[in-house]
Amino acid sequence: MEVSVLNIQGQETGRKVSLNDAIYAIEPNDHAIYLDVKLYMANQRQGTAKAKERSEMSGSTRKLGRQKGGGGARRGDINSPVLVGGARVFGPRPRNYSFKLNKKVRQLARRSALAYKVQENALMVIENFTFETPKTKSFVEMLNNLKLSDKKALVVLPGADKVVYLSSRNLERAEVMAAAALNTYKVLNADVLVMTEGALEVVDANLTK
């Protein structure tokens, strides 16, 4: 499959690039996508939620009432979970929410996400670019030229480019990412995926090992 290469002025350069069928033309695997997105979201969780249990609360250990005959639930001290303001039973504890996912499953998920973008005609290839100085105005102008001003765009570069990143970070609906850090969640979360020629080569190398 061939795609026309555009420049940052939104004009065709007259060149075309071939998309690797082993990545962009596969039958997407929805379950692999689900697992990879679940892993990404789990890794975003801090896992620092903590509730005090009975032994961790301060308060008298005096038994408040008789064991039977009170007409209500039996309870001991003021820290009893039965009482308002008492301890919490089986409350959250600090934990790590991440889990293991095989490398081949993660790669399949990313290939599937990219294949979906091709099917939706939501993948655009532009020539490699950078800006002389960090200017949000330059990045906005590029998005306007590509007719992406009203869409959530993910721009994928061959590597880290601080100038381009600083030019985009104030924009709510645009994000810049290095090809090596590309993940399933970010691809699916974008309306349009904008990849440079250099980024295509990096993605091909990473997902066809």
Side-chain angles (χ1 to χ4, degrees):
M1 180 187 219
E2 291 190 335
V3 178
S4 297
V5 179
L6 307 178
N7 56 28
I8 59 175
Q9 284 75 41
Q11 303 165 341
E12 290 197 13
T13 60
R15 293 182 289 109
K16 291 188 176 183
V17 290
S18 295
L19 299 181
N20 191 336
D21 288 346
I23 297 175
Y24 302 93
I26 68 168
E27 181 66 31
N29 188 309
D30 291 339
H31 187 62
I33 289 175
Y34 159 74
L35 290 174
D36 201 25
V37 170
K38 182 181 178 181
L39 177 64
Y40 176 84
M41 299 298 287
N43 287 337
Q44 304 308 301
R45 301 184 68 172
Q46 288 185 322
T48 55
K50 174 72 172 64
K52 284 189 176 181
E53 296 189 357
R54 192 164 183 167
S55 63
E56 299 169 317
M57 296 190 65
S58 61
S60 173
T61 58
R62 179 177 66 89
K63 186 172 174 65
L64 297 177
R66 54 191 297 186
Q67 178 77 355
K68 295 187 177 186
R74 56 191 173 181
R75 61 191 186 274
D77 57 40
I78 200 169
N79 299 327
S80 171
V82 173
L83 300 176
V84 175
R88 182 174 174 185
V89 181
F90 303 126
R93 290 193 164 236
R95 55 167 289 194
N96 180 8
Y97 285 91
S98 65
F99 57 93
K100 181 180 181 298
L101 191 61
N102 290 338
K103 181 179 179 180
K104 287 185 177 180
V105 177
R106 296 200 309 269
Q107 288 186 340
L108 175 59
R110 287 161 198 177
R111 289 199 299 267
S112 298
L114 291 169
Y116 268 128
K117 287 302 174 190
V118 172
Q119 291 178 11
E120 297 165 1
N121 292 321
L123 188 144
M124 187 178 293
V125 180
I126 61 175
E127 61 183 6
N128 296 329
F129 74 97
T130 188
F131 302 129
E132 293 182 3
T133 55
K135 278 191 177 180
T136 304
K137 181 179 179 181
S138 301
F139 199 90
V140 170
E141 185 178 346
M142 181 189 74
L143 293 179
N144 289 336
N145 292 336
L146 297 173
K147 299 179 181 178
L148 300 176
S149 57
D150 59 339
K151 295 182 179 180
K152 189 184 294 186
L154 175 63
V155 179
V156 185
L157 304 176
D161 189 321
K162 188 174 182 179
V163 176
V164 177
Y165 168 73
L166 292 176
S167 301
S168 67
R169 68 175 177 175
N170 287 337
L171 300 175
E172 184 179 1
R173 297 175 66 83
E175 186 172 359
V176 171
M177 177 177 287
L182 194 65
N183 61 71
T184 305
Y185 177 84
K186 293 293 185 182
V187 172
L188 295 177
N189 191 44
D191 294 331
V192 178
L193 183 63
V194 181
M195 301 184 71
T196 64
E197 293 177 277
L200 277 177
E201 295 174 2
V202 175
V203 170
D204 281 1
N206 289 342
L207 296 184
T208 55
K209 288 179 181 178

